[in-house]
Amino acid sequence: PADASPGNPGAPAGTPAPASPRPLASVIPAPLSVRPGGAPYVLSRDAVIGVPLDVPGAAGVGTYLAGLLRPSTGFALPVVPGGDGSGITLRLEGGGGDGGAAQGGPGAGNGLGGEGYRLTVRPAGVVISAAAPAGLFHGVQTLRQLLPAAVEAHSPQAGPWTVAGGTITDRPRYAYRGAMLDVARHFFGVGRVERYIDELALYKVDYLHLHLTDDQGWRIAIRSWPRLAAYGGTTEVGGGTGGYYTRAQYEQIVRYARSRFMTVVPEIDMPAHTNAALASYASLDCDGVAPALYTGVNVGFSSLCVGDDVTYTFARDVLREIAALTPGPYLHIGGDEAHSTSAADYRAFMDKVQPLVTDTGKTVMAWNQITGADPVKGAIAQYWGTSGTEPAVIAAARAGTRFVLSPANHTYLDMKYDARTRLGLAWAGYVEVKDAYDWDPATYLRGAPAGAVMGVEAPLWSETLTKDADIDLMAFPRLPAVAELGWSAAASHDWDAFAARLAAQGPRWQAMGIDWYRSPQVPWD
Ligand code: TNX
């Protein structure tokens, strides 16, 4: 058993620490290479966090790590330039090369790519090295999971803070590892979104897709069309008060995400899912009559007026304003469930709106219905079907459209787990944890080139979610499953091993205040 005292003189008595450190391989997403060995490291009261000198972004990762560790350890953990190798050292090495390990290919130089890292644990200290700050950040998430779960608590806990000895070398399989939050059906404020960002960061998610507009609400202030938010944002499903982000609040979310090395993908859903906009401006309606605000849950009844020029003035203004507030490369224009738009109108609409996105310098992203029109060069389609076989989808993939995969029967976090789940929908069936995990993004679109897949995303639609805690109940434990598919090598895919690692996350979620679904498929600790 580990000696309970070194490094923790005077630590308050609490739950006895586990007898041995967590195994080096007990991390989600599974790292590429894990070589356990040597004696463990024990984080001590006098440890420092060493960071690279003068590298923008790198020192911030050290400060972030200190912020995570201080409340539970009670240690000072000063962040110092360089460091003496005795505590935790963050180090940048030359050559990441590929800036994001697209498709998991090896980067130049040290082979870690823009997001990879190497974590070395010896009794003398922990060293995280990477080619770029994003890699240091992901390495910090791994270190966090190797420390006892109590490290996540917000008040002083008993140690010891032991980390198993050895080396982890890691980098992602896919460049795009996303999560979507629907803030349109029910509105969630900045604080809740920031908390979700923190929860996602623990599993190395790097894109946050915000579904900002829908029939039930418009959630982002637009200067040139102020009634969209001021009127269109005043309700939500069930008739609650709704809400919207001011420009400053949206920018705050973007900044917060960036501090967690996460890129925001804003979605303005068009031409359907637009009742809130149509209710706010009668001029957007073909008949010039504004409908009432909508608080139900039906889809597909609304459409912008495809033949009217004002529609494209509206789209240009909105996309221009959103693009100016969004540093990330993608603007999502929705395009799903346009059931009251004819196929010809849909195509005409997309032919006009996609260039409005590219005019802003951004890349078009849209739901996979866009493959029924003509996706512009470089467009990314988000697949949300359940078969992986739609001819238009496969043809688009062959023709160069890239895909983010969100098959509803595997990745939809709003599907019920089983018949007893209180929240959620079931149109794509029940999605238990094993369903979320047991599929392969590389072979999912049958007949599509493997290179067409950029990654995966787990959407969380909010028709049934009314409280902040509802997000956690639906996201955990399925979100970590999808995150692992996005990050970990196909060769490490193994349900039993994953379920065991997932089980060990329970006490961590407990300490973080995350309430989760105790799936009977998982042997919880
Ligand atoms: C389908 S998935 C929708 C959403 C709903 C969701 C509920 C997609 C692109 N559209 O409008 O919220 O199902 O699961």
Side-chain angles (χ1 to χ4, degrees), residues 180-190 192-193 196 208-214 216-220 233 235-237 242-245 250 253 267 460-463 465 471:
M180 188 206 83
L181 185 62
D182 172 10
V183 295
R185 270 54 175 273
H186 281 97
F187 183 65
F188 293 95
V190 174
R192 185 60 185 97
V193 175
Y196 199 43
L208 175 69
H209 170 183
L210 288 176
H211 185 74
L212 290 168
T213 69
D214 213 300
Q216 298 87 347
W218 186 284
R219 308 299 180 201
I220 175 88
T235 192
E236 59 188 2
V237 168
Y244 65 89
Y245 306 124
Y250 176 77
I253 292 171
E267 178 185 351
L460 181 47
W461 300 96
S462 64
E463 285 95 333
L465 313 184
I471 293 177

Side-chain angles (χ1 to χ4, degrees), residues 90-113:
L90 308 185
R91 190 176 286 164
L92 287 177
E93 295 175 351
D98 65 1
Q103 310 309 325
N110 59 16
L112 298 173

Side-chain angles (χ1 to χ4, degrees), residues 185 273 336-337 367 384 412 414-415 425 427 461 463:
R185 270 54 175 273
H273 291 277
D336 56 316
E337 298 174 320
W367 297 104
W384 64 282
Y412 266 33
D414 66 313
M415 290 300 118
L425 308 174
W427 65 261
W461 300 96
E463 285 95 333

